[in-house]
Amino acid sequence: MAAPIVAIVGRPNVGKSTLFNKLVGQRISIVDDSPGVTRDRIYGECEWRNRTFLLVDTGGIEPYSDDIILSQMRNQAQLAIDSADVIILVADVKTGLVATDKEVASMLQKSGRPVIVCVNKCDNIGEVNSNFYEFYNLGLGDPVMVSSVHGHGTGDLLDEVLKNLPEPIKGEENEGTTINVAVIGKPNVGKSSLINKITGENRCIVSDIAGTTRDSIDTFIENKYGHFNFIDTAGLRRKNKVYDDVEKYSVIRAKMAIERSDVCVIMIDAIEGFTEQDSKVAGLAMDAGKGCVIVVNKWDAMTKNDKTMLNYKKKLESDFSFMSYVPIIFISAKTGQRIDTLFETISVVSNSNAMRISTGVLNDVLADAVVRVQPPTDKGRRLKIFYMTQVSVKPPTFVFFVNSAQLFHFSYQRYIENRIRDVFSLQGTPIRFIIREKNEK
């Protein structure tokens, strides 16, 4: 059975993201004093008294705003409310009860879900702010005093959540490993649109405004290709184009998403083509040792003939010559073109990144490679590779024991790497070599 869902909602700047981070025990949601920092739904796992549930952070609700982003934030909050088992309505004791709090409370009452009023910013222990009693007027039961910064009252809040959660039902555990997929790229290449197409819902806010996505958003998908967690990330711009603190946090979150992923989908805009920033984004994934897939989006908008794809692919292979092992797929997040191929390729790349090869088989391949192309010599001394073994996965890492590390030239290493890739069909994953000198005696 899926874990129950608890949604945190409220108007902007009442401390929802601070409370979310405190309850899940990690700094997942971006926190800043400016309103409207959180936009999409952010998920995190929370455990209290041996019960585990999913906590959802939402953007601040502005009931009557016509702003494009604010109206979509309101829609995202509504989706969280509709899917929640319990709702935490967060309010600010310092400002007291305001009209927006009443409007949000009215919206929640219509949902029919249990609602717990959390009065935040009660930072002084033992002191009750006179504004606190105003929140009884919402008609949603006894409010709970909380300081999300210091953690005061969070235990009482979680006790109230547990009282209202549905009773656990023993269900079958999901089998199979989840593949974490970070969708990365420049702003406005269609990362959020891809995730919305895959899920069939407006999971992420989409607009033509660059920098719409700020947090890294997890979306779990299960289909015939396996279990996937797609992580939508903020667009990565050049440092001199990043102006405000919120965007700096977003870039840090995107880099953290790369670190916790198994496979990175590097998205490129087909119309704009390859740029220097694309190579920098790809370099982040490669340096982190992640499996990679290059995805060319908006292919439906291209004027094409029978050679367009071939020529485009050749150009990209040249641009991404530093990661020639990475598969390239042409898709349309708008129409869903080749989305199935993307899932298949992600599965193949994930398996390659986690592949473990026995030492015996590896040395058979090495012996065959040495017979085909003799190791290099220098001043009459020839390179000898005594044996090799795999020491880790993600990425596959191999140790070579040789008579001279200096003789093991880069070109011969590249030859051995290509032989390993060909024999074991290692697609989309970097391979790392460690060279150790071993005394010939």
Side-chain angles (χ1 to χ4, degrees), residues 217-337:
I217 300 143
D218 289 32
T219 303
F220 295 91
I221 294 158
E222 183 184 339
N223 58 24
K224 62 183 178 182
Y225 303 106
H227 301 263
F228 301 88
N229 173 27
F230 277 83
I231 311 163
D232 186 19
T233 64
L236 295 165
R237 297 203 270 188
R238 285 184 305 202
K239 277 187 181 176
N240 61 349
K241 298 280 186 186
V242 177
Y243 301 113
D244 64 358
D245 287 341
V246 172
E247 191 168 354
K248 284 175 187 168
Y249 301 149
S250 301
V251 170
I252 292 164
R253 290 289 194 276
K255 289 178 179 175
M256 284 167 63
I258 291 170
E259 284 298 327
R260 67 188 176 96
S261 69
D262 301 304
V263 177
C264 289
V265 169
I266 303 156
M267 194 168 270
I268 293 168
D269 187 326
I271 299 158
E272 191 179 346
F274 174 84
T275 65
E276 186 189 346
Q277 185 61 10
D278 291 317
S279 69
K280 286 181 179 173
V281 170
L284 289 172
M286 186 176 79
D287 292 345
K290 305 302 175 182
C292 294
V293 181
I294 294 168
V295 169
V296 183
N297 190 26
K298 307 182 187 177
W299 194 243
D300 58 310
M302 290 285 288
T303 306
K304 300 181 278 288
N305 59 35
D306 59 337
K307 292 198 172 74
T308 307
M309 188 182 285
L310 184 66
N311 293 336
Y312 205 111
K313 196 170 184 179
K314 279 182 182 173
K315 169 77 168 58
L316 281 180
E317 283 169 352
S318 169
D319 294 329
F320 285 103
S321 55
F322 60 95
M323 49 197 312
S324 56
Y325 52 84
V326 174
I328 300 169
I329 301 172
F330 296 82
I331 71 157
S332 166
K334 188 176 176 183
T335 66
Q337 183 184 19

